[in-house]
Amino acid sequence: MRIFAAASEIFPLAKTGGLADVTGALPGALAGHGMGVVTVVPGYPAVLAALEDHAVVHGYGDLFGGKARLLKGRARGLDIIAVDAPHLYDRPGNIYLGPDGKDWPDNARRFAALSKAAADLACGKAGEDGADILHCHDWQTALAPVYVKFAGGKKPAKTVMTVHNIAFQGQFPASIFGTLGLPAQAFAIDGLEYYGNVGFLKGGLATADRITTVSPSYAQEICTPEFGMGLDGLLRARRDVLAGIVNGIDEAVWDPARDPHLPQTYGAKTLDRRTANKRAVEQRFQLAQGDGILHGVVSRLTWQKGMDIFVACLDALVAGGARLALIGAGEADIEKAILAAAQRHPGRIGAVLGYDEGLSHLIQAGCDTILVPSRFEPCGLTQLYGLRYGCLPVVARTGGLNDTVIDANDAAIRAGVATGFQFSPVDQATLAHALARAADCYADPSLWRGMQKRAMASDVSWSRSAAAYVQLYRNLLKA
Ligand code: ADP
Ligand code: GLC
């Protein structure tokens, strides 16, 4: 089976969030099933720099405003085809945002080009033999199934559209339609037309052969008006081709026994060694040394992640005797409120604003809990890293958080199955109550230790989910 994937991010070459972790790890997991995946990605500077021994598989005289080449090769262990289009991707800084913090003004063209290249490759129109399956991730590649359906030619690939976050849809004015190189009938209800505009994700969801999202709970939720962000009607109509497959994690990158970012590695049998990492977190985040509960946050600082509610809880968190180490970046108001709280509570709240992969590992290895108070969460990876590192998740009961953490209610504690703490709805009172429950359990060291061991034994690998994708691909080819 020949499989192409298409994505705007892939770890370790380009990452702004969990999407990259998934597109970076899934090919390795599928390789375990004998399936090779080649991922089509934008030729950002970091991608081109990492590409080894590449071959030029196709050239475009004009791909959305300039010359482009498709370069196939290996990069940091991944098989990729990079879309080398300097006029679209050769820019410094964030892959989506310009220096002003706003979306690059030509993002529609940048990601239409990525989608077009992926569709051409998959349909054998760009120098390669074509693919059986083209697996697209999020709005940035969602035009690919539209190109396959309306301009795929004689050998159209079967398409899978995976939604990692339905809040990001790629909507643009109708005036861009003429630049996309699609036939007029693509601007219709069964194509990419969306309330008179062009909707990239809408188009992908309307035209892909199969739709998946990253947890069973989120698959249900996005079919409701509350979570569907306007696309719930379409998803309800296509429910028969929609499935929820929970993400796994890359267990080689996230392994407390071998993690190069940690001052002290450890395993489930050597949990005492975590203390050295707690000391390192205290130092790095300028916290007072202590053995009391230390909460951790690694997050985009946004409304989705419930961070506005979280910052409103910080005084109470400190009053309850807890400490916090946080790394994150995002909305200016939230960043400001966190800095102010850190100033109000020196030694109790430590915050680093920015993005730092190494520090995110240290937090998981040294804090007692990882907090994820999201209003919605398609899957969430930070709680999975928390489970693997014995950093117990305190999470909102939504989406993938609901599917991956077992709440420490009385029954679960008595049955010996709890791995974390859940709360809902997401508001200050329920979050404060969850933090209090965590602190109560923490005060009972044998209970806590048991939960940590169980968390670390949870199956957060890709094995089951990779098998589910394999099954999906097989069924699709039979269909
Ligand atoms: P989302 O993709 O919605 O942001 P996920 O939980 O799926 O949420 O994935 C977030 C990923 O980004 C995780 O790998 C997490 O460790 C990482 N991450 C988020 N914020 C930061 C940060 N400030 N520094 C380092 N890593 C971060
Ligand atoms: C998105 C979602 C997150 C998910 C990630 C990877 O960024 O917000 O919940 O874990 O994609 O699928």
Side-chain angles (χ1 to χ4, degrees):
M1 202 186 296
R2 284 174 57 83
I3 303 162
F4 281 150
S8 58
E9 304 185 17
I10 188 163
F11 183 85
L13 304 175
K15 167 169 168 177
T16 73
L19 169 64
D21 291 1
V22 172
T23 57
L26 187 53
L30 290 168
H33 292 262
M35 292 198 168
V37 179
V38 178
T39 308
V40 185
V41 293
Y44 307 123
V47 169
L48 296 182
L51 200 57
E52 306 152 12
D53 307 328
H54 63 260
V56 179
V57 295
H58 189 66
Y60 289 99
D62 180 11
L63 183 67
F64 291 89
K67 283 193 178 154
R69 298 181 308 162
L70 303 182
L71 310 179
K72 184 174 187 179
R74 300 265 302 166
R76 307 282 295 269
L78 299 158
D79 289 311
I80 64 167
I81 293 180
V83 183
D84 178 21
H87 59 294
L88 301 173
Y89 308 125
D90 184 12
R91 323 182 167 175
N94 187 288
I95 56 181
Y96 305 122
L97 314 174
D100 56 359
K102 297 201 177 111
D103 287 349
W104 292 110
D106 57 349
N107 272 352
R109 270 197 299 150
R110 296 174 74 223
F111 296 114
L114 176 63
S115 301
K116 169 99 171 65
D120 286 349
L121 281 160
C123 295
K125 295 166 68 182
E128 286 279 289
D129 286 342
D132 299 304
I133 304 273
L134 173 59
H135 189 162
C136 303
H137 297 271
D138 270 355
W139 77 264
Q140 295 89 347
T141 57
L143 277 197
V146 181
Y147 280 113
V148 171
K149 173 168 174 182
F150 291 98
K154 290 203 187 83
K155 281 200 303 179
K158 300 274 186 177
T159 51
V160 179
M161 181 76 239
T162 294
V163 179
H164 294 264
N165 192 335
I166 209 157
F168 300 102
Q169 301 186 352
Q171 280 171 37
F172 301 98
S175 55
I176 73 155
F177 181 74
T179 69
L180 298 177
L182 281 161
Q185 71 263 31
F187 192 73
I189 185 122
D190 64 346
L192 49 63
E193 187 273 336
Y194 188 53
Y195 294 108
N197 294 321
V198 166
F200 277 40
L201 187 60
K202 151 69 196 349
L205 295 176
T207 55
D209 295 302
R210 291 283 186 282
I211 301 169
T212 73
T213 187
V214 288
S215 69
S217 286
Y218 195 61
Q220 297 290 328
E221 289 167 358
I222 54 177
C223 290
T224 67
E226 192 188 348
F227 290 95
M229 309 236 169
L231 291 170
D232 46 289
L234 171 58
L235 288 164
R236 283 195 298 279
R238 302 214 67 203
R239 212 169 207 155
D240 53 331
V241 297
L242 167 66
I245 301 176
V246 76
N247 290 329
I249 69 170
D250 187 326
E251 292 181 304
V253 175
W254 293 90
D255 178 359
R258 275 183 204 85
D259 190 329
H261 299 293
L262 309 187
Q264 177 65 67
T265 56
Y266 62 95
K269 293 202 180 107
T270 50
L271 273 166
D272 287 339
R273 295 206 213 149
R274 284 184 105 255
T275 309
N277 297 326
K278 195 168 191 173
R279 295 290 95 87
V281 172
E282 287 162 348
Q283 243 184 7
R284 187 64 187 73
F285 288 83
Q286 298 182 327
L287 294 168
Q289 190 174 316
D291 292 322
I293 192 163
L294 172 57
H295 299 296
V297 168
V298 178
S299 184
R300 293 189 282 118
L301 303 177
T302 63
W303 184 90
Q304 174 197 340
K305 300 290 177 179
M307 283 293 131
D308 50 327
I309 289 173
F310 177 64
V311 293
C313 286
L314 289 179
D315 292 339
L317 180 149
V318 171
R323 291 167 302 152
L324 168 75
L326 171 147
I327 176 151
E331 290 164 18
D333 287 357
I334 300 178
E335 291 193 348
K336 230 167 83 191
I338 285 171
L339 285 184
Q343 263 169 8
R344 280 200 305 281
H345 303 290
R348 312 299 300 174
I349 294 182
V352 172
L353 295 185
Y355 193 94
D356 186 322
E357 196 74 22
L359 272 189
S360 74
H361 285 240
L362 180 64
I363 285 189
Q364 300 280 10
C367 291
D368 301 301
T369 72
I370 188 83
L371 308 180
V372 195
S374 307
R375 287 189 169 87
F376 65 94
E377 194 61 73
C379 179
L381 296 173
T382 44
Q383 85 282 9
L384 301 181
Y385 302 139
L387 291 169
R388 177 111 163 108
Y389 278 60
C391 183
L392 298 185
V394 180
V395 303
R397 188 179 295 117
T398 186
L401 302 172
N402 183 38
D403 293 340
T404 55
V405 175
I406 302 177
D407 178 56
N409 59 39
D410 271 359
I413 289 177
R414 265 184 277 127
V417 295
T419 58
F421 306 87
Q422 293 187 335
F423 62 94
S424 90
V426 177
D427 61 35
Q428 283 186 49
T430 56
L431 173 55
H433 185 241
L435 293 176
R437 283 202 297 138
D440 282 350
C441 289
Y442 184 79
D444 179 342
S446 81
L447 171 62
W448 192 264
R449 187 55 61 102
M451 283 181 69
Q452 283 181 302
K453 288 192 170 144
R454 217 168 300 118
M456 292 176 82
S458 307
D459 181 4
V460 290
S461 75
W462 270 107
S463 66
R464 269 182 49 222
S465 301
Y469 280 113
V470 169
Q471 199 53 49
L472 179 102
Y473 296 156
R474 290 213 170 107
N475 291 344
L476 187 49
L477 283 193
K478 274 191 247 144

